[in-house]
Amino acid sequence: MNPMHEQRLRLDPALRRLRRETRLDASKLLWPLFISETAREAEPIAAMPGVFRHPLARAGELAREAARLGLGGVLLFGIPARKDDAGSGAWDPEGVIPVATSRMREAAPDLLVIADVCLCEYTSHGHCAPLDGHRELSRQGALESYARAAIAYARAGCQIVAPSGRFDGQVAAIRDALDGAGFPRTAILSYAVKQASVFYGPFRDAAGGAPAFGDRRSHQLDPANAEEALAVAARDAAEGADLLMVKPGLSALDLVYRAKGAFPSLPLAVYQVSGEYAMIARAADAGAFPRRGAVRESFLAFARAGADLIITYFAAEAAREGWLEGE
Ligand code: PBG
């Protein structure tokens, strides 16, 4: 082979564009948003420089921005005014997520709104499930609460609910509840492969959902295990998950690749989580590398590995600043 053969299509920008196998576009990006019931203006999140807790009053504006940028959708997390032991704010029909969802759907009717379904932002103890009489997490209680929350969010107009507690059986419980309540069209994005990860640390600061005692290793997956992760994803698929997710992203690219291979017909999302955001943002701030290049490279890795959708705090910035096209 001529020694120039490999290099020939790399010699100038036009040839590199032609040669490029992976293309990014805004419709692949999902933008996670923290919506606060009490914030009066956008509150900076110390652990995630550049990310904010948005006031409920701005929900419509955010929706219009996401739609204008052509993003694939938004993923909503609620920060309620009050927490209690049961996490009842999660399924309150007048709660922060139902209100934000209906305002967003009204402001931008074509926008995809995904509502995260979990209790940790709503419980006074910060766990993703209610506690039983022995300070143990109640799986049954979690499933019942998720079902009620999913119905409240579907009624408010979200097209997808995304249960993130990772309690076994949550997809089936939510599917049954949605169908029973007259919402057969609402889809479920399962946090199928959700590892117990330190990279969620900044999120807990953002959403005020750090557990007051214990941790999440009883229900989230051990990062040491790949076979178990795929088995759990298979069960979620069998229970009726419409889309699957792998989380975190860069440290679980093997699972993105394998999940796409194992479930080729289900759209696969990868979540570039809060700690990954913080690593890139802080390293770029410190001058280690350009923010734009790091974000683009991470997105390319997700897409190459097989992710159809990328959930990322960089979504709006990357689309707005033209980082997706590349050079
Ligand atoms: C709630 C939830 C968490 C994340 C998404 N949904 C926190 C957790 O499980 O501890 C993490 C997202 C991120 O770190 O960006 N269960």
Side-chain angles (χ1 to χ4, degrees):
M1 184 78 74
N2 180 322
M4 273 299 279
H5 181 73
E6 290 294 344
Q7 211 190 346
R8 199 169 293 122
L9 295 182
R10 263 184 250 135
L11 292 177
D12 77 45
L15 289 169
R16 286 196 292 275
R17 274 197 298 279
L18 179 89
R19 178 76 177 85
R20 198 158 285 150
E21 297 170 27
T22 309
R23 288 181 208 282
L24 301 170
D25 70 80
S27 69
K28 283 187 198 299
L29 305 182
L30 303 175
W31 191 21
L33 292 170
F34 299 106
I35 310 287
S36 162
E37 207 170 0
T38 54
R40 301 219 159 257
E41 49 199 79
E43 295 175 353
I45 297 162
M48 301 175 74
V51 178
F52 297 86
R53 270 180 239 125
H54 298 284
L56 189 49
R58 283 204 55 213
E61 207 179 306
L62 289 162
R64 280 190 294 271
E65 185 181 4
R68 188 177 52 78
L69 292 169
L71 300 181
V74 294
L75 170 62
L76 304 184
F77 295 97
I79 301 156
R82 271 175 308 281
K83 303 184 187 231
D84 59 28
D85 274 359
S88 63
W91 61 79
D92 178 355
E94 307 290 315
V96 55
I97 290 305
V99 172
T101 299
S102 54
R103 288 188 189 168
M104 290 178 122
R105 292 299 320 275
E106 203 180 305
D110 294 336
L111 181 69
L112 171 69
V113 176
I114 309 174
D116 187 84
V117 174
C118 197
L119 296 187
C120 56
E121 301 100 304
Y122 302 90
T123 49
S124 34
H125 44 74
H127 281 292
C128 305
L131 307 179
D132 66 13
H134 313 280
R135 292 228 311 176
E136 297 283 338
L137 305 191
S138 162
R139 190 178 76 89
Q140 198 50 41
L143 300 190
E144 285 164 17
S145 312
Y146 297 170
R148 289 176 75 178
I151 291 171
Y153 305 161
R155 187 164 284 133
C158 79
Q159 300 97 320
I160 301 183
V161 291
S164 67
R166 189 50 282 160
F167 282 91
D168 291 342
Q170 63 185 15
V171 173
I174 290 173
R175 185 70 272 154
D176 275 1
L178 288 172
D179 291 348
F183 299 104
R185 297 166 61 130
T186 308
I188 301 177
L189 163 59
S190 162
Y191 281 67
V193 178
K194 177 169 182 176
Q195 298 179 335
S197 169
V198 298
F199 295 120
Y200 311 152
F203 175 95
R204 294 178 190 166
D205 174 29
F213 60 90
D215 56 40
R216 307 216 201 285
R217 281 181 289 186
S218 66
H219 46 106
Q220 299 182 353
L221 301 173
D222 185 342
N225 301 347
E227 300 306 332
E228 182 198 13
L230 291 166
V232 164
R235 190 148 34 72
D236 281 9
E239 286 180 19
D242 301 286
L243 309 94
L244 299 177
M245 187 199 301
V246 172
K247 171 182 179 217
L250 279 185
S251 58
L253 284 178
D254 59 322
L255 295 172
V256 174
Y257 182 76
R258 292 182 65 181
K260 192 63 209 175
F263 312 101
S265 69
L266 292 184
L268 180 65
V270 63
Y271 198 147
Q272 182 175 48
V273 299
S274 56
E276 298 176 72
Y277 173 87
M279 284 197 288
I280 291 179
R282 288 185 185 284
D285 282 349
F289 45 62
R291 183 170 168 111
R292 170 193 181 131
V295 169
R296 184 173 150 79
E297 233 176 276
S298 66
F299 288 1
L300 288 172
F302 297 138
R304 255 185 4 255
D308 303 297
L309 299 164
I310 302 170
I311 303 170
T312 172
Y313 300 96
F314 293 111
E317 182 183 7
R320 195 188 305 118
E321 305 297 327
W323 292 351
L324 301 172
E325 289 82 39
E327 290 156 81

